[in-house]
Amino acid sequence: MSRRILSDAPAKLGESLKSLISAPFARPNPIAAPVGIIDVYSQIIRESRARKYGELPGIALSAATTFTLNSPTALPILHHVVKEQTYLKTPEAAELIREVGLKCISFNGIPRTINCLHGLREYGEREGWWQTLEKKPTRGLTPENVESVNERGRALWQSIYTPLDEKLYTILGKSHPDLPVYINGAHYGPLLSDPAERGKLATVGRCLTSVVAVACLRAQGGVGPQVLSHVYGLLKAVQQGAHQDELEEVDAKGVERLATDEGCEWLLDSVDMISQFMGRNFAHPIEGRIVIQQENPEDVDPQHIPSKL
C-alpha cells in the first residue's frame, strides 16, 4: 500500500495566473468610498428623521447597501455620520453597523461581509474604540441549544411567509431537498433570528432585518421576487406587532410609518441613491478576454434548450 507524502511547502502560483486573478476586468477589488458619499448618508438620515420613520431604518439600509456594494472604506464614513447625527454614539453605532453586516451574509454571502467588517475594524482600531465593543459570541450551536435555535428559525420563517410558509418550503425543496433545510438551519435560526442573550451586541430584530434584506437584494439587482417578498415581510412584521416588542416607542412608531407604500418607496429610492452614487458591482457586463461566438443568439432562450443533452 502506497503512503501519501504530505509537504509543508507553500503552493506557488504562476505570474500569469496571478495576473488573471487580479485582472481589472474581473473587478477583484472592493469599491473605494466615492467623494461625497458622506452627503448621501447624511441626506438619508435627515430624510428618515423628517419623514418620521425614525433613525434606525436609515442607518440599517445605508449599512446593508454599503456591505452589498462591497465598500469597506465607506463604512467609517457612515459610522461618523451616525454618531454625529443620531442618538447612537461611537460604540452603539459600530455595534449596529457590524450586526447589520453580519446579517447581510444571508443575502450577499460571506466574502463581502468579511471585507467590510475588516475595514470597519481597522478604522476602529486606529481611532482607539474598537476594543470597547463586545467580544463574546452569542450564536454558537451546542447540543443543548440546537433545537431551540431551530425553533427560533422556524418561527421567524413562518412569521415572514405566512400563510404561504409551508408551500414555499415545499417549492424550495423541489429545487434541491437540502435547500430549505439549509436556509432554515443555517440562516433563519442561527443568524437572522436573534438570541435572547446579546451582551453589548446590537439586536437587529424582525423589522430591521426585513429592511436589511430589502436593501441587500435591491442593491444586488436581478432578484425582484425576493425584494417583493421581503417588502411584504416588513409589512407583516408590523401587522404582527413585532415593532412594538422590539423597539422603543419612538422607533416603533417610525417603523410603523415605514411599513406603507410611501415608506417602502422611500426605502427603495434610498438604496438606489447609494447604489447609483457608488456604482453597482453585481451582475454587470464586463469586457474581458473571453469572446463567445454564437451563430443563433435566439437559441439561448430557455425554451430552446434541448430536453436531452
Side-chain angles (χ1 to χ4, degrees):
M1 181 182 295
S2 62
R3 297 183 61 185
R4 180 178 299 175
I5 300 176
L6 302 179
S7 172
D8 293 330
K12 294 183 179 181
L13 303 181
E15 293 301 318
S16 176
L17 175 56
K18 289 192 287 186
S19 296
L20 181 58
I21 291 171
S22 59
F25 73 81
R27 302 190 305 272
N29 299 315
I31 291 178
V35 175
I37 189 64
I38 188 172
D39 297 323
V40 177
Y41 291 145
S42 297
Q43 178 178 333
I44 290 171
I45 298 300
R46 289 195 305 269
E47 287 183 356
S48 185
R49 186 185 303 119
R51 291 169 176 261
K52 297 184 179 180
Y53 299 145
E55 294 171 332
L56 297 180
I59 299 169
L61 77 87
S62 296
T65 305
T66 303
F67 274 85
T68 303
L69 298 176
N70 195 22
S71 184
T73 53
L75 284 177
I77 299 171
L78 175 61
H79 178 266
H80 173 79
V81 170
V82 171
K83 72 184 182 66
E84 293 296 323
Q85 298 186 18
T86 76
Y87 62 83
L88 297 179
K89 299 310 173 188
T90 295
E92 294 83 9
E95 290 288 12
L96 178 58
I97 291 171
R98 73 174 184 170
E99 187 67 18
V100 167
L102 191 72
K103 290 200 171 187
C104 287
I105 289 173
S106 291
F107 311 105
N108 300 331
I110 294 173
R112 290 165 185 257
T113 285
I114 290 177
N115 280 355
C116 291
L117 285 181
H118 179 72
L120 184 64
R121 176 176 61 82
E122 285 190 330
Y123 164 70
E125 289 175 343
R126 289 195 304 269
E127 295 295 311
W129 49 258
W130 190 259
Q131 66 272 17
T132 67
L133 302 187
E134 180 63 73
K135 298 177 179 61
K136 183 179 178 181
T138 63
R139 286 188 160 88
L141 291 176
T142 66
E144 292 73 28
N145 73 5
V146 65
E147 185 53 37
S148 65
V149 172
N150 285 334
E151 290 177 0
R152 198 174 73 210
R154 287 193 291 268
L156 178 60
W157 175 274
Q158 183 178 28
S159 71
I160 293 173
Y161 299 111
T162 186
L164 303 175
D165 49 301
E166 292 185 7
K167 181 178 181 180
L168 177 58
Y169 196 94
T170 300
I171 290 173
L172 292 174
K174 290 180 179 178
S175 298
H176 191 296
D178 279 329
L179 180 58
V181 174
Y182 175 75
I183 290 173
N184 271 284
H187 290 273
Y188 278 77
L191 181 54
L192 294 178
S193 60
D194 295 306
E197 299 297 327
R198 301 293 292 144
K200 294 187 295 183
L201 291 170
T203 296
V204 178
R206 167 82 172 77
C207 297
L208 289 182
T209 295
S210 289
V211 172
V212 170
V214 171
C216 289
L217 297 169
R218 178 70 170 191
Q220 285 181 38
V223 287
Q226 288 83 355
V227 174
L228 179 63
S229 69
H230 285 284
V231 168
Y232 275 123
L234 174 59
L235 272 57
K236 287 181 183 177
V238 170
Q239 291 172 354
Q240 295 161 2
H243 60 306
Q244 296 173 342
D245 297 331
E246 298 171 350
L247 301 166
E248 299 294 335
E249 184 177 359
V250 172
D251 291 318
K253 289 182 178 179
V255 169
E256 190 170 328
R257 292 188 184 94
L258 181 69
T260 61
D261 282 6
E262 179 182 346
C264 290
E265 286 180 13
W266 173 82
L267 168 55
L268 295 174
D269 286 341
S270 298
V271 173
D272 292 345
M273 181 166 59
I274 297 173
S275 298
Q276 291 166 11
F277 199 83
M278 281 193 181
R280 296 175 184 267
N281 66 350
F282 262 108
H284 265 205
I286 57 176
E287 294 183 2
R289 63 176 195 157
I290 299 175
V291 177
I292 299 176
Q293 295 181 345
Q294 189 175 305
E295 294 182 359
N296 299 305
E298 68 275 9
D299 287 347
V300 301
D301 190 315
Q303 299 297 324
H304 297 160
I305 296 176
S307 58
K308 295 182 179 180
L309 298 178

